């Protein structure tokens, strides 16, 4: 059986749109707990998502789950590795380093 | 073996030991760094099973990654793979066949020249679309198998040997633009097999919308010179737990695309609850062959695969992957069942001050 490509594309678009629209409809502002969920190791409790947390979520968490904490000794090495993979700017690197190693 | 995409070469054990020595030298250099610059070893260790058209294989695998800074501007990084494949003997014979691979996936030096330019030299992952350099590690991918089009535009090996410029061209709160441009030479030795090619990628990311759009180009400069074009679109709305990733790639003889969606809910106690750790994933992919001159590794006939997966994100950096796929092609339809567990590790090479 050969599937009809147009039908497949239509089904995928419909499925994706449904899920995404459902999510956006129920989307709420992040609570501090949700914000900290995306952190690689909750070094510091925060009430607002700071720039470093946002940059981590937008760049690192886009591809992979955050590792559950790691030694502060390697925070800059992690950052330098990631900055090549994610093409981070200097400003983003500085914010991320503060976030990883407050 | 079509089970797991393997963008690496088999290394003779003697040469592998040489590589290990080089690695240790790199680590030794790293000892002079300050506390946050300690070299690290990361990677994934996993065990996979794959049953395709009734044939089962078992795959224990380790993908270690080393990153070692040399001073404030240079980073040496490398990823390798060690795996053993076991498959039952056919025709009712008892026992298992097995084979192994040990290989370097890449070994590169990154030199930060300015805030917008990083020079990458050595053996690097070809930045064509997003799968090859961003999603291929076993601790990242949502499916055990890579997409069918992963070899289009990446010179089949997935790696280039030469130089690359990479960096963030513009970074604003509302958008950022990043780029890669590379040249790879022909290398035939056991360590860094690559083809002569050139190309680049341009990515636009809009954080507020969670939208990323990229365009890639690759030109093979040896043998049958061929252009490859790629485009990728990702949409990951913030805090939604929803991912939509897609890629399209086109060459002279074949083209294809894949679309993948994944979702984690936080409605039952957040992402770290028992339910929130569940991650249903779906991927659709199609390849289309234009002619019989197969200069790539895409299937010889038009192929469609629907992948249905259910991943579970355990605590302590461990993931369970399970999926069912159905492949449709004029050469035959069959089922693919896959399971696996992956642990991701990340540790300093030495204890810090």
């Amino acid at each position: 059986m050969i599937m009809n490509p147009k039908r497949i594309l239509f089904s995928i678009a419909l499925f994706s749109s449904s899920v995404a629209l459902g999510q956006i409809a129920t989307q709420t502002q992040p609570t501090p707990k949700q914000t900290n969920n995306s952190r690689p190791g909750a070094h510091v409790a925060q009430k607002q998502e700071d720039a470093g947390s946002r940059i981590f979520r937008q760049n690192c968490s886009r591809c992979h789950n955050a590792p559950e904490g790691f030694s502060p000794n390697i925070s800059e090495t992690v950052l330098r590795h990631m900055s090549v993979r994610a093409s981070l700017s200097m400003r983003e690197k500085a914010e991320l380093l503060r976030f990883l190693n407050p | 073996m079509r089970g797991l995409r393997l963008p690496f070469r088999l290394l003779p054990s003697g040469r592998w030991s040489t590589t290990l020595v080089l690695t240790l030298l790199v680590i030794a250099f790293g000892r002079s760094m300050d506390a946050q610059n300690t070299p690290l070893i990361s990677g994934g260790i996993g065990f996979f099973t794959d049953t395709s058209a009734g044939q089962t294989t078992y795959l224990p695998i380790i993908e270690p990654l080393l990153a070692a800074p040399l001073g404030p501007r240079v980073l040496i990084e490398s990823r390798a793979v060690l795996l053993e494949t076991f498959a039952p003997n056919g025709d009712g014979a008892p026992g298992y066949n097995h084979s192994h691979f040990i290989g370097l996936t890449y070994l590169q030096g990154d030199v930060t020249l300015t805030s917008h330019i990083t020079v990458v030299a050595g053996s690097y992952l070809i930045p064509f679309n997003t799968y090859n350099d961003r999603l291929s590690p076993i601790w990242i991918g949502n499916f055990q198998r890579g997409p069918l089009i992963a070899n289009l535009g990446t010179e089949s090996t997935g790696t280039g040997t030469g130089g690359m410029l990479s960096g963030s061209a513009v970074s604003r709160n509302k958008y950022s633009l990043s780029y890669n441009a590379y040249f790879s030479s022909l290398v035939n030795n056991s360590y860094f097999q690559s083809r002569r090619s050139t190309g680049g990628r341009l990515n636009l990311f809009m954080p507020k919308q969670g939208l990323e759009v990229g365009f890639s180009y690759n030109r093979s400069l040896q043998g049958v010179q061929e252009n490859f074009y790629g485009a990728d679109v990702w949409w990951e709305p913030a805090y939604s737990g929803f991912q939509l990733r897609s890629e399209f790639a086109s060459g002279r003889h074949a083209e294809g695309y894949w679309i993948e969606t994944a979702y984690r809910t936080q409605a039952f106690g957040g992402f770290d609850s028992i339910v929130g750790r569940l991650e249903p994933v779906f991927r659709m992919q199609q390849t289309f062959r234009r002619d019989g001159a197969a200069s790539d590794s895409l299937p010889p006939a038009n192929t469609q695969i629907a992948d249905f997966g259910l991943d579970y994100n355990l605590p302590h950096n461990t993931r369970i992957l399970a999926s069912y796929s159905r492949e449709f092609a004029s050469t035959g339809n069959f089922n693919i069942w896959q399971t696996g567990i992956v642990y991701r590790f990340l540790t300093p090479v030495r204890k810090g001050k």
Side-chain angles (χ1 to χ4, degrees):
Chain A
M1 180 183 73
I2 302 297
M3 300 171 78
N4 183 337
K6 286 181 182 172
R7 186 177 295 177
I8 292 166
L9 280 173
F10 178 74
S11 304
I12 291 167
L14 192 64
F15 170 78
S16 305
S17 304
S18 306
V19 175
L21 288 174
Q23 271 306 296
I24 290 169
T26 58
Q27 192 173 322
T28 55
Q29 283 299 102
T31 64
K33 186 168 182 292
Q34 288 166 349
T35 301
N36 285 334
N37 275 348
S38 66
R39 298 194 56 171
H43 296 299
V44 173
Q46 289 176 224
K47 292 184 179 174
Q48 296 287 329
E49 183 183 38
D50 62 21
S53 172
R54 178 175 48 79
I55 290 165
F56 186 89
R57 174 176 55 74
Q58 289 172 350
N59 292 277
C60 311
S61 299
R62 220 153 89 213
C63 290
H64 58 82
N65 292 336
E68 283 183 19
F70 48 80
S71 165
N73 295 345
I74 55 173
S75 54
E76 191 171 341
T77 310
V78 169
L79 180 63
R80 288 169 68 172
H81 169 68
M82 282 306 303
S83 69
V84 177
R85 283 280 164 270
S87 294
L88 300 177
S89 68
M90 283 295 186
R91 175 183 60 84
E92 290 168 333
K93 280 191 226 178
E95 296 286 359
L96 262 180
L97 185 59
R98 259 195 295 278
F99 170 67
L100 294 175
N101 210 6
Chain B
M1 184 181 68
R2 286 186 60 198
L4 193 79
R5 187 168 167 265
L6 302 171
F8 44 77
R9 283 78 46 200
L10 180 68
L11 287 181
S13 56
R15 293 183 175 181
W16 177 242
S17 61
T18 309
T19 306
L20 281 177
V21 171
L22 287 173
T23 303
L24 290 172
L25 282 174
V26 167
I27 293 168
F29 274 114
R31 292 184 68 85
S32 62
M33 298 297 104
D34 59 40
Q36 296 172 0
N37 261 343
T38 303
L40 65 85
I41 288 184
S42 182
I45 178 167
F47 182 82
F48 296 121
T49 72
D50 179 307
T51 303
S52 299
Q55 302 290 319
T56 301
T57 55
Y58 304 93
L59 187 79
I61 181 170
I62 303 175
E63 275 192 2
L65 182 150
L66 169 81
L70 295 177
R73 289 183 178 272
V74 180
L75 178 75
I76 305 294
E77 54 176 307
S78 179
R79 197 170 88 210
V81 64
L82 303 85
L83 65 86
E84 191 83 23
T85 306
F86 296 90
N89 288 322
D91 301 325
Y96 290 83
N97 280 322
H98 66 98
S99 59
H100 67 271
F101 280 99
I102 299 174
L104 275 179
T105 307
Y106 69 86
L107 171 58
Q108 68 185 50
D110 311 325
V111 184
T112 305
L113 283 189
T114 73
S115 58
H116 297 288
I117 302 174
T118 298
V119 175
V120 176
S123 169
Y124 53 83
L125 293 172
I126 292 176
F128 186 89
N129 281 339
T130 56
Y131 179 79
N132 191 45
D133 62 335
R134 287 168 58 180
L135 301 178
S136 58
I138 59 170
W139 63 93
I140 292 181
N142 286 331
F143 287 100
Q144 186 185 142
R145 284 191 179 201
L148 290 171
I149 62 167
N151 283 332
L152 275 188
T154 56
E155 300 294 324
S156 297
T157 62
T159 55
T161 307
M164 173 165 65
L165 297 179
S166 160
S168 168
V170 182
S171 178
R172 303 278 186 270
N173 286 333
K174 291 185 176 177
Y175 68 94
S176 61
L177 194 64
S178 62
Y179 69 92
N180 304 83
Y182 61 88
F183 179 83
S184 170
S185 56
L186 171 66
V187 177
N188 281 324
N189 69 45
S190 311
Y191 296 104
F192 310 115
Q193 287 180 8
S194 63
R195 294 163 58 85
R196 185 177 164 86
S197 68
T198 186
R201 181 176 64 192
L202 202 60
N203 264 80
L204 173 68
F205 176 55
M206 290 175 280
K208 192 175 178 185
Q209 292 80 9
L211 185 66
E212 177 185 337
V213 180
F215 297 97
S216 306
Y217 170 71
N218 170 267
R219 179 167 177 79
S220 185
L221 296 172
Q222 68 175 80
V224 179
Q225 299 199 358
E226 190 174 350
N227 292 321
F228 294 92
Y229 304 94
D232 59 270
V233 177
W234 286 22
W235 185 39
E236 300 184 359
Y239 311 111
S240 68
F242 175 75
Q243 293 176 343
L244 173 68
R245 297 169 173 170
S246 64
E247 280 185 3
F248 167 78
S250 178
R252 181 188 293 179
H253 306 294
E255 62 184 6
Y257 73 88
W258 59 267
I259 300 177
E260 180 182 306
T261 59
Y263 178 63
R264 286 178 69 176
T265 180
Q266 47 187 331
F268 301 95
F271 291 132
D272 288 336
S273 66
I274 291 175
V275 178
R277 291 180 183 277
L278 269 173
E279 188 171 14
V281 289
F282 171 72
R283 182 174 64 189
M284 185 67 222
Q285 46 182 333
Q286 287 188 285
T287 62
F288 306 93
R289 184 150 290 289
R290 291 196 174 110
D291 55 43
S295 61
D296 46 59
S297 55
L298 260 63
N302 292 355
T303 301
Q304 296 132 77
I305 302 180
D307 304 286
F308 302 88
L310 187 62
D311 298 343
Y312 196 78
N313 298 279
L314 289 163
H316 308 297
N317 304 319
T318 305
R319 294 185 89 196
I320 293 173
L321 312 178
S323 67
Y324 162 75
S325 308
R326 177 77 177 166
E327 179 168 329
F328 302 92
S330 57
T331 50
N333 305 336
F334 59 90
N335 296 325
I336 304 161
W337 296 89
Q338 294 183 312
T339 59
I341 184 165
V342 180
Y343 170 69
R344 190 250 172 104
F345 54 90
L346 175 59
T347 182
V349 166
R350 64 183 171 82
K351 196 176 177 182
K353 296 170 188 173

